[in-house]
Amino acid sequence: MNPESAILAAIAVPLVGALGISLAGRINDNLRETVTLVTAITLAMIVSTLLPTEFAGGRPEVSLGEVVPGISFAFRVEPLGMLFAALASGLWIINSIYSIGYMRGNNEKNQTRFYTCFAIALSATMGIAFAANLFTLFIFYEVLTLSTYPLVSHKGDKDTVRSARVYVGLLLTTSIGLFLPAIIWVYLVAGTGDFVEGGILQGKLEGPALGFLLGLFVFGIGKAAVMPVHRWLPAAMVAPTPVSALLHAVAVVKAGVFSVTKIIIFIFGVDYLFAEPSSGWLVYVTAFTIITASVVALRQNNIKRLLAYSTIAQLSYVVMSAAVLKPFAEIGAIIHMVAHAFGKITLFFAAGAIYVASKKTEISQLHGIGRRMPWTMAAFTIGALSMIGVPPTGGFVSKWFILAGAFQADNTLALATMVLSTVLNAAYFLPIIFIVWFAEEKETPANDHGEAPLAAVIALTITAALTIGFFFFNGPVLELESQIVGKEK
Amino acid sequence: MSGWESHLPALQVIAPMILAPVVMMLAGRGVAWGVTTLVSAYAFFNAISLAAGALAGRTFTYKLGSWEPPHGIELHVDALSAVLLLVITGASTLALIAAERSISAQIEVDRQPLFYAAWLLALAGLSGIVVTGDAFNIFVFMEIASLASYILIAGGPDRRALPAVFKYLIIGTIGATFYLIGVGLIYLMTGTLNIADIVQRLPLAADQNSVLAAVGFITVGLALKAAVFPLHVWLPNAYTYAPHMVTVFLAACSTKVQLYVLIRMDFIAFQPNLADHALQFAQFLMPLAALGIVVGSAVAIFEQNLKRLFAFSSIAQIGYILLGASLVSETGLISSIVHMFNHALAKGTLFLAAAGLAMHFSSLTLSDLAGAAKRMPWTLAAMVAAGLSLIGIPGTAGFVSKWYLLSAVLERGGLGYALAALIVISSLMAVIYIWRIVETAYFGEPGTDTATVREAPSILLAATWVGALANVYFGLQPHVPATLAASAAQLLMGSTP
């Protein structure tokens, strides 16, 4: 398959899959799950065919025509988008395996709708990853919001609907009220919104206006969850856990930080933005987000809410590190997307596995659960260590690069934030690890449970292995990503 | 030109008009509907053929009864008329295909043939306005369309439609009379009614007061009929209390046809021949357009009834169309004409979805629609898609017209920046009123009395989705309307395409 048709296929295959899933759902559950898995595997294979081209320095692109003069609906694969697409499509396979265990183990209703919307969300994610310009990116960004709404409100009761309202309300208002005007602004001053290496705004926009435009983007892209537009993420935790795992640890939130990073690198241009003092506020805002979210996480008792606040902090790592505006920091931002994805999806898988097996949702209930669910809790531990940044986990690699970037830029604030937040991460994760393994069970649970369903355990074991594996085998990712950042120097 | 093709402009009007009395005599449930739908579908295909010709750069002219113009009536179809024809016949056809169940629920079977006959007359009248090249003939078709519309609007079971239609009738008649007075004065001064001929002869009488008065009468008369703010008072109630399918049809095209006449008369006949007229046109209409946009959107935010909400949004959208035209530039006209097309798509779909809701919900007050998305998810999803188009989200048709409009106002510089801000603000206002619907329908708690509510009839639902998908399609592939609009704008600005 040539790269151009692979791009289009990557977006079309999940859509066709969605159709297949909704048809198969009427016939038989097993058939439906088969279609999901086949779609996920096909997608990952298609995405992987693009890899050799990218490594060789090729940038395949395909345009579906101009909508109005200057604005085209087009795709172009560069290393950053390639990585994001590979990450999301690869994890979708594992997530599908996990979903089967989770959804059946819980006897969830409307499973067909669940898998259908999931496939549409993945198609939108591919569109975001491969978008060649702001216009195309925005369309898929909105499709992703809309297609995940039924997933968040899946349960359909009053509380869930209220949370779903916060979710979709916040994401839509910020994107339409801030993101879209920012995009229109870029098109008007630069005459284009194409993602170009080195940026497109040099000489077109300068001074405080540049910092203001950056603000429109950062807060307009609500999916990046920089405070104060983070409220949707804890709200989204009412969704079934596979949704939280793939979408609110990987696809949706990474779509946010991916967009911010991509806009900083390809629209503003790292060097150009670094030279502009009015862009400095972003480090402060993200540092504040990291610390505040970590402190809030300290006080959570619900596992998924704790993970959500941890995600908010970790997302701001990415944005802060992108905002440090030095090559090492950009690499760190990109690597952290991957490292955090592996670690956080593992943690969510574990949280879901605990719920399926024991119906427990609170940290205070977890005493001694490690002995009942050793595989799950081992994976949980690995994920938590990666969040803190302990070697040998993926989290260590990305923190290394972020710190190196902060040194490069002499950015003391970023350095201090990294140190302090590492301490805070340890403060909320280590006690959990301790009670899980070393505390005695408070009371014997009503159902004398063991491990979660096999499918779920397999999935979380794989992601935990990936978390550790990323510590040792991150070379290809580094090689690929330094292609874009290298040109910046 | 082959024999058949040369008759297309005439058939566009003749077919629905001749078949109207036939439909009137068709008794029995569904028969009149079937024939009307077929006629409308034929008219739609006829319009597509004409549009295809216009896309290829052709202009169709037709001498009615072979009388030579300017003495006989001349039909004249160019790119501008083609866009409007597509809108009129498309809206009519889609509404009719969807209409059977909805109309049967609202109008007794024995009155249906009369109703459908009026529909065909309205279709003939509106198409006639667009195809004719004769100023007086426009008035005649305008009256046919208006009288038929009054019947259609008052035809439903809602008695509140009667005062609404009475208001519409009074204001519509004043508007038409003003137009007629204007055309009469022009005839006195130039001795001709053929628009092309008027263009030739107007310079001889250009500075006469009677010509200036004529222009004033024509502009105000058409603004009344087009519901330009502040002459819009007839519109909200007429749209709200009309039978739902009539609203779909008329909301999509009737005011746009009046704006078409305004734009054509002004840009073709008056601006090239009257000193400073372009400036007067802009200065008179631009403030009205801007006010209409703001006030229409603001009222829509606070409106409780779904159909009234959409009606006030229409007043704002008419403002957009007028704003584009009042810039008196090529890009401005493109935005104006493209928006006629795109707004018809969005508003038609919204009213179709509203009609679907009305099949099951006895009241379209927002508070009664709480939780409607639980009962009718597909209808509401289509409504959201069309709503996004109304706001102007990229990927939908609405974005394309907003983009042209933004480019057009920024071309102007100076005041243009204020207008650009106005457009962005009013788009955000649209976000608010669309969000209110989403909020109620998706996040409201459904009442127990709606527990038995199911989806709209499948054919109505299918039509709604055709509309919703068309909004997306023309948002990504706006080639056809944009090209037609571009050649129409060149025509209007006096440079040949």
Side-chain angles (χ1 to χ4, degrees), chain A residues 64 66-69 71 73 135 138-139 142 146 149 156 158 161 164-165 168-169 172-173 176-177 180-181 184 187-188, chain B residues 374 384 388 391-395 399-400 403-404 406-407 410 424 428 431 435 439 442-445 475-478:
Chain A
L64 296 181
E66 277 200 333
V67 173
V68 292
I71 301 185
F73 190 59
F135 171 79
F138 186 84
I139 292 176
E142 295 297 46
L146 294 176
Y149 162 72
K158 222 173 179 177
V161 169
R165 171 175 174 256
V168 74
L172 280 183
T173 1
I176 295 171
L180 184 55
I184 292 173
Y187 272 99
L188 291 176
Chain B
K374 277 224 175 68
V384 170
L388 291 177
I391 296 168
I393 301 295
F399 173 76
V400 177
W403 182 258
Y404 277 114
L406 269 176
S407 320
L410 289 174
V424 172
L428 294 178
V431 174
W435 178 255
E439 167 95 36
Y442 279 82
F443 306 115
E445 207 42 43
L476 297 174
Q477 303 290 338

Side-chain angles (χ1 to χ4, degrees), chain B residues 178-450:
Chain B
F178 272 32
Y179 175 79
L180 186 61
I181 292 172
V183 171
L185 286 171
I186 298 263
Y187 182 63
L188 281 178
M189 302 309 294
T190 62
T192 180
L193 289 167
N194 183 301
I195 295 176
D197 213 28
I198 291 175
V199 177
Q200 302 292 324
R201 298 199 196 175
L202 204 55
L204 304 172
D207 291 326
Q208 304 277 344
N209 280 341
S210 13
V211 170
L212 299 180
V215 174
F217 271 115
I218 289 176
T219 309
V220 174
L222 289 170
L224 263 170
K225 296 212 63 131
V228 170
F229 181 87
L231 308 174
H232 65 278
V233 284
W234 60 268
L235 181 141
N237 280 351
Y239 280 13
T240 309
Y241 301 126
H244 305 301
M245 284 303 163
V246 173
T247 316
V248 175
F249 177 33
L250 294 182
C253 60
S254 73
T255 55
K256 293 178 189 72
V257 169
Q258 318 297 336
L259 284 174
Y260 156 88
V261 180
L262 179 60
I263 289 174
R264 174 167 294 255
M265 294 291 279
D266 220 280
F267 280 83
I268 298 276
F270 302 148
Q271 288 185 13
N273 296 323
L274 304 178
D276 291 334
H277 179 71
L279 197 64
Q280 290 163 3
F281 175 79
Q283 283 181 344
F284 177 60
L285 290 174
M286 196 185 285
L288 296 186
L291 277 172
I293 292 172
V294 175
V295 176
S297 308
V299 176
I301 290 178
F302 295 102
E303 193 49 64
Q304 293 305 322
N305 180 297
L306 190 65
K307 283 176 80 181
R308 272 181 79 89
L309 188 157
F310 290 150
F312 275 104
S313 144
S314 280
I315 290 163
Q317 305 289 329
I318 291 164
Y320 286 127
I321 298 174
L322 200 61
L323 181 63
S326 72
L327 293 165
V328 195
S329 70
E330 211 169 294
T331 328
L333 280 170
I334 295 180
S335 84
S336 196
I337 297 160
V338 167
H339 198 53
M340 286 185 185
F341 186 86
N342 290 342
H343 175 245
L345 284 179
K347 203 45 76 59
T349 310
L350 286 172
F351 276 119
L352 271 173
L357 286 173
M359 293 299 292
H360 293 303
F361 289 86
S362 52
S363 136
L364 288 179
T365 308
L366 275 181
S367 53
D368 293 332
L369 295 174
K374 277 224 175 68
R375 313 281 184 230
M376 307 173 80
W378 289 98
T379 304
L380 263 297
M383 195 183 264
V384 170
L388 291 177
S389 180
L390 200 62
I391 296 168
I393 301 295
T396 59
F399 173 76
V400 177
S401 31
K402 286 261 167 79
W403 182 258
Y404 277 114
L405 187 56
L406 269 176
S407 320
V409 295
L410 289 174
E411 260 176 21
R412 201 168 180 279
L415 182 65
Y417 294 106
L419 290 173
L422 180 89
I423 294 165
V424 172
I425 291 171
S426 65
S427 302
L428 294 178
M429 289 163 95
V431 174
I432 299 177
Y433 61 71
I434 295 297
W435 178 255
R436 285 183 63 221
I437 303 169
V438 174
E439 167 95 36
T440 321
Y442 279 82
F443 306 115
E445 207 42 43
T448 45
D449 53 327
T450 62

